[in-house]
Amino acid sequence: MQSTKNDLNFPDKYFYKIGEVSKIVGVEPHVLRYWEKEFRICNLNKSPTEQRRYKKKDIYKFIEIKELLHNKKFTIQGAKKALKKSKYSVNILKELENIKLILQKSLGA
């Protein structure tokens, strides 16, 4: 069964340590570090003690990568292309929603 953003149950906080993210995503910390570099996931945020800190959006990105690599059996290159394509699709949808709002306002709807 696939995990979605809605059925993931983890604490609501601003930053998560690598061990926490590892448990949430279900992979070892070294895998997260590899994915960080390979997929250029986040602007790595480190604490004053040099520990990695992740935001929720980073966790969701790791989950998406895990889905592509482990469940859908994509290669690294295939996963990169799929992520790029999905990012592009999301941007197009946002633009269309903005255009729709502008048109609705101008038509008085």
Side-chain angles (χ1 to χ4, degrees), residues 74-88:
F74 277 53
T75 62
I76 296 286
Q77 288 303 320
K80 284 180 180 179
K81 287 180 185 176
L83 289 170
K84 190 174 186 179
K85 191 174 186 178
S86 74
K87 185 177 180 182
Y88 178 72

Side-chain angles (χ1 to χ4, degrees), residues 1-12 16 21 23-26 56-64 66:
M1 185 198 289
Q2 265 184 296
S3 293
T4 64
K5 290 181 183 182
N6 296 330
D7 61 299
L8 289 175
N9 189 14
F10 53 93
D12 188 27
Y16 299 83
V21 177
K23 288 177 186 171
I24 293 166
V25 177
K56 269 190 177 180
K57 68 180 182 113
D58 302 323
I59 296 172
Y60 292 132
K61 187 60 72 178
F62 283 132
I63 290 168
E64 189 175 2
K66 181 183 177 191

Side-chain angles (χ1 to χ4, degrees), residues 101-109:
L101 288 173
I102 292 168
L103 289 172
Q104 285 175 337
K105 286 180 183 177
S106 69
L107 296 173

